[in-house]
């Protein structure tokens, strides 16, 4: 009897214990087991929902583990990244919570019914805007429970988006919105085939002679110079650095040429002569190149001119020759169109490693670009070691799961919960000095960006961590020295990227002490590299509306009489004036994004308030219907030096084509292929107005904007153009390079060379001929050269169409190899001419470069 009572007591206790244990936290092993065996899938349900304001989506959990999620409230949470802020508050018994930026979480409520082994749970939700591309979703959703280590859902730990995103195939998924109608095309094989039809013609031989960017004046002669290691180099003494880089480049072609200063006689040996002379008709960076059978002469107006002459010589090298290089005899006179030929690279969102930086700078020099705008600080990361402020990289250089942000920043953009996740890391001080030297040798100026006052969350949180550490150590003065936030600030705002705490407090002296400290350290790095910091960008863009309005420090500033700061509207120009003055004292020209220099759509800050002779403005927002696409003229006319950086043509984080499998955001244009970048006309920004965001053809720009568009009164203030790559969706070096190349070459062409087809209206016939030559040169040599240099290039997906029972295929780049499969990809053959096919089903097409690189495949349906 006692035994029976004891067993009954245990049974009752066990029964009572079941719900209690169900609520208890899982240990590491249980959490890992569940996330390894439960799939987490995003899906677009409909973009035809609420105009362009919001869309319907879902998250599906399929539990193939042997563990059950208990019903009701519990201590577990699921974290996921969503660039579109979720509007739904609760669904399927789970509460949606926005943490910050793109980080959201699901929390079980008492209504949660649980999820047993073998069950599937779909959680519908509504979020802002629309999603028509797989890469708008981010990988590495994860789960936490109690004190267990966070565990990533295994199927989301992938760069193959289809591992965790449901197919985007229906009209209401492919359209960004139903009303207004999305007029953008869809990239099908038939659409590409029509787009790829070219009227221009260029022989293979002429395409191989095509130099990118195109020189000003080229005259090819009969014959070739057979370049081998039997040749030698003679150079003006000042060109020692250029010669060193030249020899490195020659070695890539199996050539070892002895180089000596020009006071040593060349004798009768075949020689490359490098010299500097007054080429006043060409000016700065201009050069002459003469290739003859037994002699090559490169004369530059300055060292940069010689370097660019060398690049043109190298551009004539066939991609597949080694040891014996045949170069056509030619006479070239050349000089750049613009003095500012730039490339902007956002490393703040995601860091892709040291080598990615060096490779980009190397190719910039190869294609005669000279300004590298390095965006090393952002909301999501700080990527450069700064002596004296280790927190910037120890904390700001990493994202992980630390809600207190004392060890790292909040995870964002698909990094996941671990410091080993994608996008983490930074460049050390010594590595940056090395990069500066490398860039200097290639005539590339590095322009760093200390982002502020907005987009500064990484530096803000790093300095808050520093503050807490020093306060705990009893060092309050040191703690406050570089603090970028006001602990008493109760201001409420949310930015375009859904951050609520990313604005430096512009009213605190410690903010400017921070900027000065970083600038001081940067100057030391430049000096150590044998160069000078002459330009520094401070961002200035997309400051959250409402920042600082409830900051006691700012309120005190407003209360001071006669200081020129009467209210919140005065704070951005106040910040700009203080930073500009700080930089002027150090001999540095400031730069900012356009909206960082504007009171509103049409009124720039007073240029006379800034003591800087040069103040650059990157003009990016040319969404024509938003009414701000004339800012290039407004800022130039007001005395700012403008760098054209327009989103529709020069943002390389946009997709190459309007297809859901293409990487990138598409807020400025539905897609930006190399041809569109090539077509950019910087001398008349209004001439680039082609489509609205919804894909409607712009017939009358002034009518669209609804007011007069200012003419350019001071063209001398347009410094040049710059390509941009932002890295929100770009987590790896290969992904970054594929987004930049080959579009960088098209941008370099426009920065260096003014084409005859440019004008108020694009001359379509001359453009077609020029594009054919450019794209043929890409296919025949430039893509191969980039590939051999370790650069991952994007290959265009081919077009295809069945006409009268014959398969016709083409590529955006003529001469690029096209392959066809007639059995769903099991076997491939080279496409050379129209071929008979019985039906379109099972037919696949792709382009190929070399033996291992292929484009995305396309079917014909």
């Amino acid at each position: 009897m006692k035994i029976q009572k004891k067993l009954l007591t245990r049974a009752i206790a066990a029964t009572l214990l079941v719900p209690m244990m169900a609520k208890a936290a899982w240990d590491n092993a249980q959490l890992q087991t569940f996330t390894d065996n439960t799939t987490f899938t995003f899906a677009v349900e409909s973009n035809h929902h609420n105009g362009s304001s919001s869309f319907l989506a879902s998250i599906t959990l399929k539990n193939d583990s042997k563990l059950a999620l208990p019903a009701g409230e519990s201590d577990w949470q699921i974290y996921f990244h969503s660039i579109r802020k979720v509007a739904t508050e609760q669904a399927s018994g789970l509460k949606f919570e926005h943490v910050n930026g793109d980080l959201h979480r699901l929390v079980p409520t008492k209504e949660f019914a649980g999820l047993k082994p073998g069950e599937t749970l779909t959680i519908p939700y509504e979020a802002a805007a629309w999603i028509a591309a797989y890469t708008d979703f981010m990988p590495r959703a994860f789960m936490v429970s109690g004190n267990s280590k966070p565990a990533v859902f295994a199927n989301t730990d992938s760069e193959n988006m289809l591992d965790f995103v449901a197919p985007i195939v229906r009209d209401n998924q492919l359209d960004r919105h139903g009303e207004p109608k999305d007029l953008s095309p869809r990239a099908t094989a038939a659409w590409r085939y029509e787009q790829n039809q070219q009227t221009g013609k260029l022989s293979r031989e002429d395409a191989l002679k095509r130099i990118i960017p195109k020189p000003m004046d080229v005259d090819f002669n009969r014959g070739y110079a057979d370049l081998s290691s039997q040749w030698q180099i003679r150079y003006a003494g000042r060109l020692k650095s250029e010669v060193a880089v030249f020899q490195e480049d020659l070695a890539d072609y199996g050539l070892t040429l002895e180089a000596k200063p020009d006071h040593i006689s060349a004798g009768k040996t075949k020689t490359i002569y490098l010299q500097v002379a007054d080429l006043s008709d060409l000016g700065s960076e201009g050069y002459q190149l003469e290739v003859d059978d037994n002699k090559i002469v490169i004369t530059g107006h300055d060292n940069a001119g010689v370097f660019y002459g060398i690049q043109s010589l190298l551009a004539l090298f066939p991609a597949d020759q080694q040891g014996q290089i045949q170069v056509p005899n030619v006479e070239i006179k050349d000089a750049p169109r613009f003095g500012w030929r730039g490339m902007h690279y956002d490393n703040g969102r995601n860091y892709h490693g040291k080598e990615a930086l060096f490779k980009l700078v190397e190719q910039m020099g190869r294609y005669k670009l000279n300004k590298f705008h390095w965006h090393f600080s952002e909301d999501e990361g700080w990527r450069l070691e700064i002596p004296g402020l280790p927190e910037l990289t120890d904390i700001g250089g990493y994202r992980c799961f630390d809600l207190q942000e004392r060890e790292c920043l909040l995870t964002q953009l698909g990094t996941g919960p671990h410091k080993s996740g994608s996008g983490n890391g930074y460049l050390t001080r010594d590595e940056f000095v090395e990069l500066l030297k490398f860039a200097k040798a290639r005539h590339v100026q590095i322009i760093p960006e200390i982002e502020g006052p907005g987009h500064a969350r990484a530096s803000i949180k790093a300095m808050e961590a520093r503050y807490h550490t020093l306060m705990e150590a009893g060092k309050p003065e040191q703690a406050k020295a570089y603090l970028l936030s006001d602990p008493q600030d109760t201001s409420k705002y949310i930015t375009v990227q859904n951050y609520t705490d990313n604005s430096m407090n512009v009213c605190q002296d410690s903010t400017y002490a921070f900027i000065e400290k970083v600038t001081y350290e940067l100057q030391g790095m430049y000096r150590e590299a044998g160069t000078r910091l002459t330009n520094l960008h401070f961002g200035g863009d997309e400051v959250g509306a409402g920042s600082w309005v409830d900051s006691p420090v700012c309120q005190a500033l407003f209360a001071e009489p006669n200081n020129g700061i009467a209210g919140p509207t005065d704070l951005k120009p106040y910040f700009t004036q203080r930073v500009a003055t700080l930089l002027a004292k150090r001999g540095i020209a400031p730069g900012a994004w356009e909206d960082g220099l504007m009171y509103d759509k049409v009124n720039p800050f007073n240029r006379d308030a800034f003591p800087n002779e040069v103040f650059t403005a990157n003009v990016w927002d040319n969404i024509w219907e938003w009414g701000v696409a004339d800012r290039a003229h407004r800022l130039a006319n007001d005395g700012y030096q403008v760098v054209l950086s327009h989103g529709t043509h020069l943002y390389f984080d946009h997709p190459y084509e309007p297809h859901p499998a293409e990487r990138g955001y598409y807020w400025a244009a539905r897609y930006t292929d190399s041809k569109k970048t090539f077509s950019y006309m910087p001398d008349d920004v209004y001439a680039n107005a082609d489509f609205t965001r919804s894909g409607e053809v712009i017939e009358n720009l002034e009518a669209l904007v609804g007011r007069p568009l200012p003419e350019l009164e001071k063209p001398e203030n347009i410094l040049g153009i710059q390509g941009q790559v932002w890295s929100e969706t770009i987590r790896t070096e290969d992904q970054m390079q594929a987004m930049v190349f080959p579009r960088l070459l098209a941008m370099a062409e426009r920065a260096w060379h003014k084409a005859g087809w440019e004008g108020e209206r694009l001359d379509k016939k001359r453009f077609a001929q020029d594009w054919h030559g450019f794209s043929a040169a890409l296919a025949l040599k430039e893509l191969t050269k980039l590939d051999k240099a370790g650069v991952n290039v994007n290959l265009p997906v081919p077009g295809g169409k069945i006409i009268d029972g014959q398969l016709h295929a083409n590529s955006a780049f003529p001469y690029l190899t096209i392959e066809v499969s007639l059995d769903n990809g099991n076997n491939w053959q080279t496409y050379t001419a129209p071929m008979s096919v019985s039906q379109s089903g099972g037919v696949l097409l792709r382009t190929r470069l070399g033996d291992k690189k292929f484009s995305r495949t396309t079917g014909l349906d």
Side-chain angles (χ1 to χ4, degrees):
M1 192 69 179
K2 286 182 180 180
I3 293 174
Q4 288 180 331
K5 284 185 177 180
K6 191 175 288 187
L7 290 172
L8 181 61
T9 302
R10 286 180 180 175
I12 294 172
T15 303
L16 293 173
L17 194 58
V18 168
M20 294 177 65
M21 289 184 68
K23 306 292 184 180
W26 281 352
D27 61 26
N28 292 335
Q30 290 172 310
L31 199 59
Q32 196 66 55
T33 296
F34 183 80
T35 54
D36 280 348
N37 296 283
T38 299
T39 56
F40 179 109
T41 306
F42 291 107
V44 176
E45 299 297 339
S46 178
N47 290 320
H48 291 185
H49 167 61
N50 186 24
S52 60
S53 297
S54 63
F55 76 106
L56 299 178
S58 66
I59 293 169
T60 298
L61 296 172
K62 186 174 184 297
N63 184 1
D64 289 326
S65 77
K66 296 181 180 180
L67 297 170
L69 283 181
E73 295 178 340
S74 190
D75 78 330
W76 60 264
Q77 301 99 43
I78 291 174
Y79 286 80
F80 64 97
H81 302 278
S82 174
I83 61 166
R84 310 298 193 200
K85 189 171 183 293
V86 175
T88 301
E89 294 183 1
Q90 188 168 317
S92 305
L94 298 170
K95 181 168 60 174
F96 284 90
E97 293 181 350
H98 174 235
V99 182
N100 216 334
D102 78 0
L103 190 62
H104 292 68
R105 65 185 164 214
L106 290 166
V107 180
T109 70
K110 61 184 179 181
E111 286 82 22
F112 181 59
L115 182 63
K116 297 176 183 177
E119 289 185 340
T120 297
L121 174 68
T122 297
I123 309 155
Y125 69 93
E126 180 179 1
W130 26 256
I131 283 182
Y134 296 115
T135 59
D136 281 349
F137 293 108
M138 297 287 169
R140 297 176 190 92
F142 61 95
M143 190 172 178
V144 299
S145 178
N147 294 321
S148 299
K149 294 179 181 178
V152 176
F153 286 92
N155 73 299
T156 72
D157 193 10
S158 171
E159 289 301 327
N160 180 357
M161 309 308 290
L162 290 174
D163 285 344
F164 57 91
V165 182
I168 296 176
V169 292
R170 301 191 308 269
D171 285 348
N172 66 355
Q173 297 172 315
L174 295 166
D175 292 339
R176 291 168 293 170
H177 37 76
E179 185 62 41
K181 183 173 175 57
D182 187 352
L183 300 173
S184 297
R186 294 179 187 170
T188 63
W191 176 81
R192 292 188 204 99
Y193 183 79
E194 297 302 323
Q195 293 291 110
N196 294 342
Q197 296 280 53
Q198 297 202 19
T199 56
K201 293 185 183 296
L202 193 72
S203 69
R204 178 182 289 265
E205 181 182 5
D206 288 340
L208 287 169
K209 292 179 179 178
R210 175 67 150 85
I211 295 172
I212 297 175
K214 180 184 280 187
M216 179 190 301
D217 186 11
V218 183
D219 185 13
F220 285 99
N221 303 315
R222 290 184 179 180
Y224 291 85
D226 288 315
L227 194 59
S228 71
S229 294
Q230 303 307 310
W231 285 59
Q232 62 182 349
I233 299 170
R234 289 292 180 269
Y235 64 93
R238 62 188 283 180
L239 297 171
K240 188 174 182 179
S241 174
E242 287 73 19
V243 170
V245 176
F246 187 27
Q247 288 180 302
E248 290 178 18
D249 293 335
L250 290 172
D252 291 337
Y253 290 89
L255 298 175
T256 304
L257 272 63
E258 184 180 50
K260 293 182 178 180
D262 56 8
H263 69 275
I264 299 173
S265 173
K268 295 182 179 180
T269 304
K270 295 179 180 181
T271 303
I272 300 175
Y273 294 93
L274 307 177
Q275 55 196 32
V276 179
D278 182 11
L279 303 178
S280 54
D281 57 328
L282 298 175
S284 177
E285 301 180 298
Y287 68 91
Q288 293 177 349
L289 168 62
E290 298 174 42
V291 178
D292 208 347
D293 289 7
N294 303 312
K295 183 173 70 172
I296 297 173
V297 180
I298 298 174
T299 307
H301 182 74
D302 46 25
N303 285 42
V306 174
F307 179 79
Y308 296 135
I310 291 171
Q311 303 317 306
S312 289
L313 175 63
L314 292 168
L316 293 171
F317 284 21
D320 57 353
Q321 292 184 8
Q322 282 280 317
Q324 191 85 17
I325 310 296
Q326 197 172 64
V327 183
N329 290 340
V330 69
E331 296 176 28
I332 296 175
K333 291 182 69 173
D334 198 12
R337 173 185 197 168
F338 291 118
W340 191 293
R341 306 178 303 279
M343 183 63 210
H344 162 278
Y345 174 26
D346 163 27
N347 251 184
R349 266 57 179 264
N350 280 301
Y351 183 69
H352 307 116
K354 171 186 171 182
E355 288 305 312
L357 287 158
F358 279 78
K359 286 180 186 176
L360 181 56
V361 168
E362 181 177 41
Q363 297 308 322
M364 285 179 63
R366 183 83 71 231
Y367 297 103
K368 303 184 176 78
L369 299 175
N370 64 351
K371 308 289 184 183
F372 177 40
H373 180 167
W374 188 36
H375 192 100
F376 73 81
S377 65
E378 250 300 340
D379 292 321
E380 296 87 359
W382 181 284
R383 308 301 178 187
L384 178 60
E385 178 186 22
I386 302 297
L389 299 177
E391 297 84 1
L392 284 172
T393 44
D394 290 350
I395 294 165
Y398 294 92
R399 301 190 290 260
C400 66
F401 185 66
D402 174 15
L403 297 178
Q404 302 303 313
E405 296 183 281
R406 296 292 298 272
E407 300 295 327
C408 60
L409 301 177
L410 279 178
T411 181
Q412 298 285 324
L413 301 175
T415 293
H418 308 302
K419 277 192 171 185
S420 58
S422 65
N424 284 331
Y426 61 90
L427 204 64
T428 68
R429 183 190 186 280
D430 289 345
E431 288 171 336
F432 184 56
V433 171
E434 182 186 352
L435 180 65
L436 287 168
K437 292 177 180 178
F438 185 85
K440 180 189 174 188
R442 288 154 181 80
H443 293 272
V444 174
Q445 177 192 359
I446 298 181
I447 299 162
E449 180 173 348
I450 306 172
E451 182 71 273
H455 283 286
R457 194 173 188 277
S459 52
I460 290 169
K461 292 301 170 184
M463 291 302 94
E464 285 180 358
R466 178 182 184 276
Y467 170 82
H468 292 307
T469 299
L470 290 171
M471 287 295 288
E472 289 163 5
K475 300 176 180 178
E477 293 305 312
Q478 289 178 250
K480 298 173 185 175
Y482 301 117
L483 193 61
L484 299 173
S485 52
D486 173 6
Q488 307 304 315
D489 188 356
T490 59
S491 303
K492 302 292 184 185
Y493 61 89
I494 189 164
T495 69
V496 176
Q497 289 81 17
N498 298 318
Y499 287 105
T500 58
D501 54 357
N502 74 339
S503 295
M504 294 178 175
N505 193 298
V506 300
C507 304
Q508 295 181 174
D509 288 340
S510 54
T511 292
Y512 305 98
F514 172 82
I515 293 171
E516 183 126 41
K517 165 67 174 173
V518 175
T519 303
Y520 169 80
E521 296 296 343
L522 283 169
Q523 283 186 305
M525 298 177 208
Y526 278 72
R527 292 188 190 109
E528 186 173 327
T531 185
R532 287 181 58 214
L533 176 61
T534 57
N535 295 75
L536 192 146
H537 206 282
F538 65 84
D541 59 315
E542 295 184 328
V543 177
S547 298
W548 319 304
V549 294
D550 291 321
S551 165
V553 181
C554 292
Q555 294 292 340
L557 202 59
F558 301 154
E560 291 181 18
N562 305 317
N563 65 359
I565 309 164
T569 305
D570 287 332
L571 289 177
K572 272 181 66 179
Y574 167 73
F575 171 83
T576 303
Q577 197 275 336
R578 284 197 65 169
V579 172
T581 301
L582 180 158
L583 295 178
K585 290 177 180 178
R586 292 184 169 274
I588 300 170
W593 299 101
E594 62 172 66
D595 44 325
L597 299 172
M598 304 290 296
Y599 281 111
D600 50 38
K601 286 187 175 183
V602 298
N603 293 297
F605 296 161
N606 179 14
R607 178 66 175 88
D608 293 336
F610 310 125
N612 318 85
E613 183 179 349
V614 173
F615 199 134
T616 59
N618 288 89
V619 177
W620 58 273
D621 190 348
N622 65 330
I623 305 304
W624 310 102
E625 62 269 33
W626 287 357
V628 298
D630 55 10
R631 281 177 173 169
H633 288 186
R634 292 184 183 278
L635 287 161
N637 292 344
D638 269 27
Y640 293 92
Q641 284 70 40
V642 169
V643 179
L644 300 171
S645 312
H646 283 135
T648 55
H649 292 68
L650 302 175
Y651 268 41
F652 302 156
D653 48 291
H654 278 44
Y656 277 95
E657 64 174 22
H659 191 282
E662 286 289 316
R663 184 173 302 280
Y665 288 172
Y666 39 103
W667 60 267
R670 181 61 187 91
Y671 70 102
T672 300
D673 59 11
S674 298
K675 189 175 184 179
K676 179 159 186 165
T677 298
F678 187 81
S679 74
Y680 183 69
M681 295 183 283
D683 284 355
D684 187 347
V685 296
Y686 303 142
N688 298 294
D690 48 8
F691 299 100
T692 65
R693 288 218 309 164
S694 64
E696 183 179 358
V697 175
I698 298 174
E699 302 286 358
N700 187 327
L701 183 59
E702 188 172 289
L704 181 68
V705 177
R707 54 172 169 73
L709 299 171
E711 296 298 319
L712 180 61
E713 299 165 3
K714 297 180 180 179
E716 67 275 12
N717 281 336
I718 304 294
L719 298 185
I721 71 174
Q722 180 171 287
Q724 279 67 228
V725 63
W726 302 92
S727 65
E728 289 97 333
T729 69
I730 303 171
R731 288 173 290 276
T732 71
E733 179 184 0
D734 275 357
Q735 291 169 2
M736 183 276 288
Q737 290 170 348
M739 296 301 279
V740 172
F741 296 96
R743 286 186 283 202
L744 177 142
L745 280 66
M747 183 271 297
E749 176 102 357
R750 293 283 67 79
W752 184 272
H753 175 76
K754 181 172 182 177
W757 46 261
E758 294 185 53
E760 290 186 13
R761 293 279 181 181
L762 184 147
D763 184 326
K764 293 184 179 179
K765 184 175 181 181
R766 295 177 73 183
F767 173 80
Q769 183 70 24
D770 198 17
W771 166 251
H772 184 92
F774 175 87
S775 55
L778 285 182
L780 286 175
K781 58 177 181 175
E782 299 303 328
L783 295 180
T784 299
K785 288 183 178 183
L786 288 164
D787 186 54
K788 287 184 175 181
V791 175
N792 184 41
V793 296
N794 180 78
L795 297 182
V797 182
K801 204 170 186 179
I802 295 179
I803 304 172
D804 297 329
Q806 295 265 301
L807 170 64
H808 293 250
N810 59 15
S811 167
F813 303 159
Y815 300 113
L816 188 63
T817 299
I818 299 173
E819 292 190 328
V820 59
S821 171
L822 303 179
D823 56 5
N824 284 310
N826 291 316
N827 296 282
W828 292 88
Q829 59 184 297
T830 301
Y831 172 88
T832 56
M835 54 193 295
S836 296
V837 293
S838 57
Q839 57 184 11
S840 62
V843 177
L844 295 177
L845 294 166
R846 68 186 184 188
T847 53
R848 188 192 80 210
L849 181 68
D851 296 327
K852 298 180 180 179
K853 178 138 189 73
F854 307 94
S855 73
R856 221 170 8 89
T857 60
T858 182
L860 297 184
D861 294 331

